[in-house]
Amino acid sequence: MNDSSSIDTSALPVHVGIIMDGNGRWAKKRNLLRTNGHTEGLKRAKEIAQAACDIGLKFLTFYVFSTENWKRTEQEVGFLMNLIHSYLLKEFDFCRHNNVRVRMIGDKSRLPESVRADIDKIEKDTENLTGLTICLAINYGGRDELVRGIKRLIESKASSASITEQSVSESLDEPELPDADLIIRTGGEKRLSNFLLWHSAYTELLFSDVLWPDYSKEAFFHDIAEFQKRTRKFGAVPV
């Protein structure tokens, strides 16, 4: 079954990350502009966010814009920044209704001022909400996050003896973000593309051939159910 009835809600992954790949190819197949694919992909992200709320997921991270995406055309980058801006302005009611807290991971410094202001506002407006936490990875790269985290440790004058896995985790963009239990990548590619590198040491990976704008809540529920069939050993031998 491909609906939520196939899921054991008592054994959900705590944190799911999604690499939303395939917007451009979806548009090309329909002789549309790549920007049309991004617009449709945004609709899908909201649908999946609602599905995550419905089943009681705690953390959901969307890979929105990577540190490498600046290599795209100026027109496409500008469209994506405007899309983020318009999306964040409209979504407070959705967050309040669904008890959703929004956080951002990534380097804000290169983002347009309007987008930084939007992120700051939605984070502040939702900071006391206690349901699903949605992390938006914007201008994000796993290596870049680690480099910036190491710089924070150096600036704090931490001694080498005091540096542990815990202290490194606490130096990252969102210290409360737990390791990812499951990362889903749509679009048929089978790689992490610099996503959540620190958080994915023992992540279960699931790759879907479906292009992101065609991904559905039923597909999401199916993928959660597939995750629940796996045995996670974390390097140990099961008894």
Side-chain angles (χ1 to χ4, degrees):
M1 299 179 67
N2 291 335
D3 60 22
S4 61
S5 65
S6 63
I7 296 171
D8 179 359
T9 55
S10 69
L12 291 171
V14 175
H15 178 199
V16 176
I18 301 183
I19 302 173
M20 304 178 289
D21 195 15
N23 290 344
R25 283 172 286 156
W26 181 90
K28 184 177 180 180
K29 285 175 62 176
R30 291 160 176 77
N31 295 315
L32 300 171
L33 297 175
R34 288 178 60 85
T35 51
N36 293 116
H38 295 313
T39 301
E40 193 64 28
L42 178 59
K43 297 176 185 177
R44 207 59 56 235
K46 187 170 181 179
E47 179 182 336
I48 300 307
Q50 182 66 67
C53 291
D54 291 344
I55 61 174
L57 201 67
K58 291 300 183 184
F59 291 88
L60 179 64
T61 299
F62 288 117
Y63 205 2
V64 177
F65 189 90
S66 77
T67 50
E68 290 73 39
N69 286 156
W70 297 104
K71 300 173 185 176
R72 298 185 180 185
T73 66
E74 183 177 347
Q75 179 185 17
E76 184 173 356
V77 169
F79 180 85
L80 286 167
M81 290 298 128
N82 286 329
L83 193 62
I84 294 168
H85 171 63
S86 62
Y87 167 77
L88 289 173
L89 286 176
K90 297 176 182 176
E91 293 312 315
F92 177 64
D93 286 343
F94 170 84
C95 293
R96 180 176 55 188
H97 179 73
N98 289 284
N99 198 24
V100 169
R101 183 177 68 143
V102 177
R103 307 296 296 168
M104 176 195 154
I105 57 175
D107 183 359
K108 291 182 183 178
S109 65
R110 195 175 175 183
L111 298 177
E113 184 177 348
S114 60
V115 174
R116 295 199 305 269
D118 294 336
I119 292 167
D120 290 342
K121 179 171 175 52
I122 195 73
E123 286 186 330
K124 181 171 179 56
D125 287 347
T126 65
E127 63 183 353
N128 294 320
L129 300 179
T130 58
L132 172 69
T133 293
I134 293 179
C135 278
L136 302 175
I138 306 174
N139 193 27
Y140 176 85
R143 288 182 174 181
D144 180 67
E145 180 182 32
L146 283 167
V147 169
R148 289 184 289 104
I150 290 167
K151 288 180 178 179
R152 291 185 189 110
L153 286 172
I154 293 171
E155 290 167 0
S156 73
K157 303 188 185 304
S159 67
S160 60
S162 71
I163 295 176
T164 62
E165 289 188 13
Q166 181 66 25
S167 66
V168 172
S169 292
E170 291 172 353
S171 75
L172 300 180
D173 291 342
E174 181 52 50
E176 295 180 26
L177 189 65
D179 286 351
D181 298 298
L182 171 65
I183 290 178
I184 300 167
R185 180 173 187 147
T186 63
E189 303 291 352
K190 295 177 173 61
R191 56 178 178 268
L192 285 176
S193 296
N194 204 13
F195 181 55
L196 295 179
L197 297 185
W198 178 265
H199 304 83
S200 61
Y202 281 99
T203 296
E204 297 295 321
L205 304 175
L206 201 155
F207 300 104
S208 170
D209 290 331
V210 177
L211 301 176
W212 176 248
D214 287 330
Y215 195 73
S216 64
K217 66 178 181 180
E218 290 80 15
F220 180 63
F221 293 149
H222 173 268
D223 289 345
I224 297 291
E226 284 298 305
F227 164 84
Q228 292 182 331
K229 296 175 184 177
R230 298 187 181 183
T231 300
R232 305 184 72 196
K233 297 182 290 187
F234 299 96
V237 177
V239 178

